């Protein structure tokens, strides 16, 4: 649910403004009711703006309510300087909304106000038409969802556990730029904290978690790389992370893992999978975005996708391209959230399709990797990257696909079988993707969020770079 402010703007002539009150009030009420019907909280400014003083005072009053999105409503011709003054007093995302009514020049009011805002570089979005029209309502709701995500980021904290993994420039971002562009702070935490705190969970709690994984999932002990003791150590790292999240009030996080923990302690795959999942062995919980390899821009992309969709977010390497099928193997180095196995609210359904395999040769410390194949369905793929220091958001559509068992297995065995796989048909030619994509990691959520991501980028002042049919 978003918090939406609505400010209606009118004509500056008292004798005209007086006559327009009923018309404006009807339009404002229709807009507010439509948004409330979609579950949002709508706060309407107490007075219609028809003087310069009201433009400032009403916008300030609305700003004090801290809406995620402020809508300036144009049901009539509105003096444009009211838009300028009201925008000056409005700190967050802004949408100009015009009624299309031949009897009243609301559209003209929006264009004049919007043009003025363009002249001063004030970012805003626009919508027009009858709010009862589903297409118009959806246009407004795209902005609402985007604003909610943008405002959800601001004032949040990313926990960076460990530093740059294996020389990966794409995993490291500038904290000044993060604060300025996204309003996100970074808390730096040493990986020693995971090791140190892994002693803290009670043995009873850890044993019950291990038994849950053994019962609901498919654990493949080999007596060497994966033993009950190593699985319990991994469960302890999950509890250590939960402690860190609570103690430092972390909104999302990333763990370096490689090479220190994966060579000398255990992999973070169990911790990362179940932080990202909407449940753990103790029951349902909120998802917590946690990026492999402490990939900062990866985590930030994931957090945006989470705030838009509410779903667990996929983190994957762009691992292999099956040219014969035009399908990519999006495979992470040990975990995807187990939810992706069947996308069920019931963990048992997802875990039944999940295999905990002994870690492969890259990770001598051992533990379980989290293997499954992503269930089929349409998804949106995204990744914040930087070109010459400036952020851009790569966005594309695609579909997770599955085939018969033999084909699935043969494809998974071509890369690292023990890791999770999302066989993906991207709606973009491979040559375009490989020629332009600026990272080794990609992120996804089920559903179509291309319009929302475009709106998020506009609101953040980040370049939207759509690929294929998302261009
Ligand atoms: C094998 C490496 O250690 C992996 O971690 C690598 O494939 C990556 O995940 C790079 O993002």
């Amino acid at each position: 649910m978003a918090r939406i402010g609505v400010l209606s703007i009118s004509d500056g002539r008292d004798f005209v403004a007086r006559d327009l009150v009923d018309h404006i009030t009807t339009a404002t009420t229709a807009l507010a009711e439509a948004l409330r019907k979609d579950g949002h909280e709508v706060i309407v400014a107490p007075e219609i703006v028809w003087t310069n003083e009201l433009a400032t005072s009403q916008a300030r009053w609305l700003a004090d309510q801290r809406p995620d999105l402020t809508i300036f409503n144009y049901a009539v011709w509105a003096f444009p300087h009211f838009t300028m003054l009201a925008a000056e007093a409005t700190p967050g995302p802004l949408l100009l909304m015009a009624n299309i009514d031949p009897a009243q020049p609301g559209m003209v009011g929006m264009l004049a106000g919007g043009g003025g805002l363009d002249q001063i570089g004030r970012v805003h979005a626009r919508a027009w038409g009858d709010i009862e029209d589903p297409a118009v309502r959806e246009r407004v709701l795209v902005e609402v969802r985007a604003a909610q995500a943008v405002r959800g980021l601001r004032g949040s904290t990313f926990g960076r556990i460990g530093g740059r993994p294996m020389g990966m420039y794409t995993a490291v971002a500038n904290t000044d730029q993060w604060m300025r562009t996204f309003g996100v702070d970074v808390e730096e935490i040493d990986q020693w904290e995971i090791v140190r705190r892994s002693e803290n969970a009670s043995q009873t709690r850890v044993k019950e978690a291990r038994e849950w994984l053994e019962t609901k999932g498919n654990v493949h002990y080999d007596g060497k790389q994966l033993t009950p003791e190593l699985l319990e150590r991994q469960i302890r790292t999950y509890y250590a992370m939960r402690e860190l999240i609570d103690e430092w009030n972390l909104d999302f996080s990333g763990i370096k893992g490689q090479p220190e923990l994966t060579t000398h302690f255990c992999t973070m795959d169990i911790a990362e999978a179940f932080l990202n999942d909407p449940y753990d062995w103790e029951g349902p919980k909120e998802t917590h975005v946690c990026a492999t390899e402490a990939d900062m821009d990866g985590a930030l992309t994931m957090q945006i996708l989470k705030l838009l969709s509410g779903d667990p977010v996929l983190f994957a390497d762009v691992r292999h391209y099956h040219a014969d099928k035009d399908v990519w193997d999006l495979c992470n180095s040990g975990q995807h959230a187990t939810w992706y196995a069947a996308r069920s609210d019931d963990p048992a359904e997802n875990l039944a399709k999940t295999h905990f395999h002994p870690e492969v040769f890259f990770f001598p410390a051992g533990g379980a990797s989290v293997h499954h194949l992503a269930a089929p369905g349409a998804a949106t793929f995204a990744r914040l990257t930087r070109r010459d220091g400036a952020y851009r958001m790569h966005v594309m559509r695609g579909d997770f696909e599955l085939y018969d068992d033999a084909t699935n297995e043969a494809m998974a065995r071509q890369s690292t079988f023990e890791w999770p796989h999302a066989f993906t048909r991207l709606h973009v030619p491979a040559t375009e993707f490989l020629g332009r994509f600026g990272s080794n990691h990609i992120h996804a959520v089920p559903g179509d969020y291309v319009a929302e991501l475009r709106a998020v980028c506009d609101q953040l002042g980040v370049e939207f770079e759509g690929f294929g049919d998302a261009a």
Side-chain angles (χ1 to χ4, degrees):
M1 182 192 76
R3 201 170 159 82
I4 304 165
V6 176
L7 181 68
S8 289
I9 307 186
S10 184
D11 196 299
R13 291 163 284 206
D14 57 353
F15 57 94
V16 178
R18 204 178 306 129
D19 280 2
L20 294 174
V21 168
D22 287 350
H23 179 79
I24 294 172
T25 305
T26 303
T28 310
T29 306
L31 175 63
E33 282 312 310
L35 296 172
R36 283 185 189 123
K37 235 186 266 170
D38 200 63
H40 302 293
E41 182 187 359
V42 182
I43 305 159
V44 178
E47 295 198 50
I48 295 168
V49 170
W50 66 276
T51 68
N52 53 353
E53 192 279 330
L54 282 170
T56 297
S57 65
Q58 295 303 294
R60 282 183 183 165
W61 183 91
L62 260 191
D64 285 347
Q65 315 303 310
R66 298 201 51 74
D68 297 311
L69 176 73
T70 304
I71 302 180
F72 290 175
N73 188 36
Y74 301 86
V76 299
W77 163 246
F79 281 19
H81 66 304
F82 301 157
T83 294
M84 304 300 275
L85 286 168
E88 210 287 318
T90 301
L94 186 58
L95 171 69
L96 311 190
M97 169 75 191
N99 278 24
I100 304 292
D101 178 349
Q104 290 293 346
M107 188 175 71
V108 191
M110 179 189 80
L111 288 171
L117 293 176
D118 284 344
Q119 284 173 207
I120 63 164
R122 174 61 199 261
V123 172
H124 63 279
R126 301 180 193 178
W128 52 89
D130 183 351
I131 194 67
E132 296 302 327
D133 174 345
V136 174
R137 196 165 52 243
E138 181 55 18
R139 167 85 194 91
V140 173
L141 290 173
V142 161
E143 290 300 321
V144 169
R145 292 191 281 268
Q148 198 177 0
V150 167
R151 299 285 275 193
L153 276 187
R154 298 211 181 278
S156 64
T157 298
F158 170 71
R160 185 177 187 239
I161 323 294
R164 185 180 75 174
M166 301 178 291
M168 217 179 277
Y169 268 68
T170 52
V172 179
N174 176 333
T175 52
D176 297 344
Q177 199 174 5
W178 265 37
M179 180 51 77
R180 185 176 55 203
T181 307
F182 307 101
V184 178
D185 187 38
V186 178
E187 188 63 58
E188 297 279 347
I189 299 170
D190 198 284
Q191 291 187 109
W192 168 241
E193 280 295 82
I194 293 182
V195 177
R196 182 178 76 83
R197 288 167 190 261
S198 68
E199 296 299 319
N200 292 355
S202 78
Q203 183 52 31
T204 312
R205 210 177 177 193
V206 171
K207 179 168 165 281
E208 280 173 11
R210 173 174 57 76
E211 287 169 353
W212 185 87
L213 290 171
E214 289 167 350
T215 312
K216 301 267 190 253
N218 306 277
V219 181
H220 303 272
Y221 292 121
D222 68 351
K224 192 168 163 273
Q225 281 288 82
L226 181 55
T227 60
E229 294 71 30
L230 274 167
L231 187 54
E232 288 192 1
R233 179 178 283 188
Q234 288 182 293
I235 292 163
R236 289 177 171 280
T237 66
Y238 172 81
Y239 284 122
M241 278 300 295
R242 293 232 70 100
E243 270 189 36
L244 289 170
I245 290 163
D246 290 345
E247 206 169 289
W248 291 96
N249 304 309
L250 306 179
D251 296 284
F252 60 121
S253 61
I255 309 173
K256 181 183 181 194
Q258 300 182 60
E260 301 90 347
L261 296 179
T262 55
T263 306
H264 301 292
F265 194 58
C266 64
T267 62
M268 294 298 109
D269 295 336
I270 294 288
E272 289 168 359
F274 285 98
L275 287 171
N276 282 301
D277 263 323
Y279 46 74
D280 61 18
W281 33 84
E282 292 179 355
K285 65 167 184 63
E286 206 203 318
T287 63
H288 172 92
V289 161
C290 182
T292 305
E293 292 164 344
D295 178 350
M296 294 179 70
D297 287 338
L300 189 52
T301 311
M302 292 170 80
Q303 186 69 357
I304 290 170
L305 291 171
K306 168 186 164 170
L307 290 167
L308 286 175
S309 69
D311 285 331
V313 187
L314 196 81
F315 178 111
D317 271 355
V318 183
R319 174 62 191 269
H320 182 58
Y321 177 59
H322 292 275
D324 55 327
K325 285 194 158 53
D326 186 24
V327 163
W328 301 83
D329 185 353
L330 305 184
C331 170
N332 188 18
S333 54
Q335 65 82 22
H336 290 163
T338 64
W339 183 78
Y340 276 90
R343 295 213 300 275
S344 171
D345 292 339
D346 178 1
E349 282 188 49
N350 303 322
L351 268 290
K353 293 171 182 260
T354 301
H355 293 260
F356 299 97
H357 285 294
E359 293 288 5
V360 298
F361 72 101
F362 290 115
F363 308 140
S369 58
V370 180
H371 164 98
H372 55 75
L373 308 179
T380 304
F381 299 79
R383 168 75 193 190
L384 279 165
T385 67
R386 283 158 286 146
R387 182 174 34 217
D388 200 12
Y391 269 103
R392 57 189 175 163
M393 175 82 88
H394 295 317
V395 177
M396 65 208 77
R397 296 187 178 89
D399 303 285
F400 298 133
E401 295 189 355
L402 281 182
Y403 316 96
D404 60 79
D405 289 350
T407 307
N408 291 334
E409 174 156 354
M411 286 172 71
R413 289 207 179 275
Q414 285 186 42
S415 59
T416 304
F417 177 78
E418 292 79 358
W419 294 350
H421 303 264
F423 300 128
T424 304
R425 187 176 303 281
L426 293 176
H427 298 192
V428 48
T431 46
E432 183 188 342
F433 181 88
L434 288 173
R436 284 171 56 200
F437 197 71
S439 175
N440 45 326
H441 294 151
I442 193 165
H443 317 283
V445 278
D448 190 334
Y449 291 93
V450 172
E452 283 82 354
L453 286 168
R454 189 186 288 276
V456 163
C457 288
D458 287 346
Q459 292 178 17
L460 289 170
V462 164
E463 182 190 352
F464 174 90
E465 200 176 293
F467 285 53
D469 64 10

